[in-house]
Amino acid sequence: WRFPFAARFALPDLLPPHTLSPLYMLPLLMLLTACRAAATRTLIGGRSARVLASRFAHAPVASAAAASSSAAAATAAAAPPSLVAESRVRVASLLEGGEARLGETVVVKGWVRTVRTQKSFSFVEVNDGSSLKGVQVVAEDGLDSYDVVDALSTGAAVAVRGEVVASPAKEQSIELRASLVELVGSCPADSYPLQKKRHSLEFLRSIAHLRPRTNTIGAAMRVRSALSFATHEFFRSRGFVHVHTPLLTASDCEGAGEMFRVTTLPAAGEAAQPAAAAAGCGDDVAALDRAVKSAGEAVRALKEAAVVDKEAVDGAVQELLARKAKLQAATEKQVAGKPAGDPLADDFFGRAAYLTVSGQLCAETYASALGDVYTFGPTFRAEDSNTARHLAEFWMIEPEMAFTDLAANMDNAEAYVKHVVQYALRSCADDFAMFAQFYDKGLKARLQALVETPFARVSYTE
């Protein structure tokens, strides 16, 4: 069975069907870089500084350098400590802990949603993307860093240290009383396009670099992330092996749809790349054979001349060798089943290649060796259909099981769908509440019914 992982629960018109959007591209980071110790660019106190690993730092040689280093150290000691290097508490974790975290001193880092300035204090809502809701920061005007608060605007990146205190507001049980506010990155209020109001999806398409900060896209990504985690959790708990199948293939797995072709050949009217042009020059074996014979006769004639010109002979020999090399390459292509003159012979793979429409064929071969396997990755369809149900790119889940039957196959598919939906409902409750409020009021009830109701099964005859 296969399941197209498009996460379209409440967003049928979020993107046009041909858009290769981050909404349909799941960021599965398989391997993080283990070490970046030598030189890291970091932002400290609003300035960019190069941080070198202390164990590799060389002692200053000149006395002037030592004096400069001492002055810099004194300046750093006088400056307030930076929050950038301190570990942070995610907003989702802070809100989930609720009143149990009262009295704790924590550091929160995120982006400003709103700023409300009162006579002697300011309210700043900070959201770090870990939850739909942000945390309210209360900054009193007696703070040493209150000038930073005064300059904040929507979209600015901040780091805040403060004490978790009870909130008198009805919408929240806790808030953060700031003791230090640090501006990590400013944001011009007059040109930042996202404000505290509902923006149309059409408008968000025009600011793709900022739309992940909106409630809609952020919620969709959190739900999608939950579904991805639950997918791997489900199959791992049942002993499946996750296999990675190629994205580039020469196989049309299904033969039911158009495929995106991948080529290094120039498009019509474009100049060929130098390497491709050289490789494709004179692929006709017969013509190359005649060229080799002609070059051989030229060498023979130069050698038999009354006065032998050594430079001319050497040049003719080099030309003969070059033509022989081209003849050999063209002959090898013919032997390998790539006839000379084939327009794809000089393509990267020597034959037509495409973006995959399915990992099924590869998964079947692995299932015949590893038992139960599944693939989970992007697939591509080049169908020219402008509907909400056709996507140029989407992620497909394709299990393949050995030594099983149709009933067990259906049991597996039903159990999978129920597991991932139940996990998403449980871990993304606020996001589904937002979907219900703005997109589909009956969404949560339908999904809950899906989890609780056995799937109906009918025979082919029925």
Side-chain angles (χ1 to χ4, degrees), residues 53 73 189 191 255 260-261 310 317 329 350 354 386 388 409 423 444 452 454:
S191 60
F260 285 105
R261 174 143 170 241
K310 189 174 183 309
V317 169
Y354 307 92
N386 295 303
N409 193 7
Y423 181 87
K444 187 174 181 180
E452 297 171 354

Side-chain angles (χ1 to χ4, degrees), residues 376-400:
F376 185 18
T379 55
F380 308 86
R381 304 291 171 89
E383 299 173 13
D384 188 15
S385 179
N386 295 303
T387 70
R389 296 189 178 276
H390 285 83
L391 299 172
E393 174 185 350
F394 57 94
W395 282 61
M396 184 81 82
I397 300 164
E398 299 175 287
E400 295 291 340

